[in-house]
């Protein structure tokens, strides 16, 4: 079974399926340049996502973690019925706001009256999607809490994170 096929094997709750002509299901930013090289790293990241539900791409600032994550997400988007979603945490300063920021990025309806992490977990519970958490290094505690909570409650969720260091969540592949 291919890495992408392995991801699609487990599914509990059906979600609305998008038609094949609905390109871009999710919110991945469009790239303005071609992705050249790094084929080995793309393949390795895809294989890690087939085996682990949380994969963190680590490295020094400026080495291309975000660009690699976006390329991996774009090539794997079709394996996820509910798409690939990008959560840019670069401008966020408060670790307690990671769930709020992710809920907005994933277009979670009706956040009123419920904690954002609860609303986000409920929204993702029956879905199969890839979430890219970008720039986690300055929000490690918040990102770890959100990732662990969502992964425990959303069997169809895979998270691809970028950070200068691992999140420290059980089951994380780095």
């Amino acid at each position: 079974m291919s890495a992408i096929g392995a991801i699609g094997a487990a599914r509990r709750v059906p979600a609305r399926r998008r038609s094949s002509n609905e390109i871009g299901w999710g919110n991945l930013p469009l790239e303005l340049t071609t992705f050249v090289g790094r084929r080995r790293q793309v393949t390795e990241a895809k294989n890690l996502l087939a085996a682990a539900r949380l994969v963190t791409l680590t490295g020094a600032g400026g080495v291309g973690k975000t660009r690699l994550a976006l390329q991996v997400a774009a090539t794997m988007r079709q394996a996820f019925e509910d798409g690939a979603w990008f959560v840019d945490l670069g401008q966020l300063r408060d670790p307690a706001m990671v769930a709020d920021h992710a809920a907005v990025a994933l277009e979670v309806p009706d956040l009123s009256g419920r904690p954002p992490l609860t609303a986000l977990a409920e929204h993702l519970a029956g879905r199969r999607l890839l979430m890219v958490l970008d720039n986690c290094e300055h929000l490690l505690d918040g990102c770890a809490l959100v990732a662990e909570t969502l992964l425990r409650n959303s069997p169809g969720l895979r998270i691809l994170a970028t950070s200068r260091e691992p999140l420290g969540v059980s089951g994380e592949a780095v």
Side-chain angles (χ1 to χ4, degrees):
M1 181 178 288
S2 73
I4 294 174
I7 291 170
R11 178 85 171 112
R12 291 185 186 173
V13 180
R16 184 172 81 82
R17 185 176 286 281
R18 296 283 177 163
S19 69
S20 59
N21 62 355
E22 289 185 77
I23 296 172
W25 175 230
N27 69 343
L28 296 180
L30 295 175
E31 295 300 331
L32 301 176
T33 59
T34 347
F35 189 79
V36 178
R38 299 180 78 177
R39 189 174 316 168
R40 183 180 58 78
Q41 289 93 345
V42 170
T43 301
E44 183 179 348
K46 288 167 68 172
N47 288 338
L48 286 171
L49 276 168
R53 295 181 52 223
L54 170 62
V55 173
T56 303
L57 304 177
T58 60
V63 298
K65 298 178 296 290
T66 298
R67 185 68 171 97
L68 178 60
L70 287 172
Q71 181 65 27
V72 169
T75 62
M76 295 185 75
R77 169 180 22 221
Q78 291 181 342
F80 295 92
E81 290 177 17
D82 296 302
W85 296 82
F86 183 71
V87 181
D88 182 2
L89 301 170
Q91 301 302 311
L92 195 62
R93 295 291 167 242
D94 183 355
M97 296 298 292
V98 172
D100 301 72
H101 203 69
V104 169
L106 274 76
E107 302 173 0
V108 176
D110 188 26
L111 293 174
S112 62
R114 297 179 295 164
L117 186 54
T118 300
L120 185 57
E122 289 171 1
H123 179 74
L124 296 178
R127 300 179 190 275
R128 203 166 64 78
L129 62 86
L130 174 62
M131 179 169 51
V132 177
L133 283 178
D134 190 41
N135 293 309
C136 296
E137 55 273 344
H138 62 291
L139 305 162
L140 287 175
D141 290 340
C143 289
L145 173 67
V146 167
E148 186 169 14
T149 301
L150 295 179
L151 291 170
R152 287 188 186 280
N153 292 289
S154 309
L157 175 65
R158 291 276 199 267
I159 298 174
L160 180 59
T162 69
S163 180
R164 294 182 186 177
E165 54 189 287
L167 300 184
V169 173
S170 180
E172 176 183 27
V174 180

